[in-house]
Amino acid sequence: MRHPLRPQGQVSGDTFPDSEAFVSDADGNSVFLNVFQTEYGKNDGPLIGLAGDNNRKMFNVNTNIIVNDKGIIYWCPTWR
């Protein structure tokens, strides 16, 4: 039997360094959810992106993944 898994939400935090989000199952299958690329370079990034108590919006997640009864990823929209 197949079941929908619908990761949804917003990732926020320090805007340095770059960030990626994945969902992975016990068999090692992974689904890429989204990416954030900092606007700061390697020299300015630590000073600007990490300064203070940041809670800056980085990216949203909203996708559908189909898993089997054991939670193993069966299908996702990025698989062609």
Side-chain angles (χ1 to χ4, degrees):
M1 180 157 241
R2 299 177 191 149
H3 308 279
L5 176 66
R6 296 186 176 102
Q8 299 176 344
Q10 182 181 77
V11 175
S12 303
D14 294 328
T15 54
F16 185 86
D18 297 344
S19 180
E20 299 173 336
F22 294 87
V23 169
S24 299
D25 65 23
D27 279 358
N29 301 306
S30 295
V31 174
F32 173 76
L33 299 176
N34 210 334
V35 66
F36 169 79
Q37 185 174 6
T38 185
E39 61 186 276
Y40 312 115
K42 65 179 181 179
N43 295 322
D44 293 335
L47 299 174
I48 298 170
L50 296 176
D53 185 17
N54 293 315
N55 193 20
R56 299 177 184 142
K57 179 181 173 186
M58 295 166 67
F59 57 83
N60 291 320
V61 172
N62 185 8
T63 193
N64 293 304
I65 301 168
I66 305 299
V67 298
N68 66 18
D69 287 335
K70 296 181 180 180
I72 302 303
I73 298 169
Y74 177 79
W75 178 88
C76 75
T78 57
W79 291 357
R80 307 231 182 243

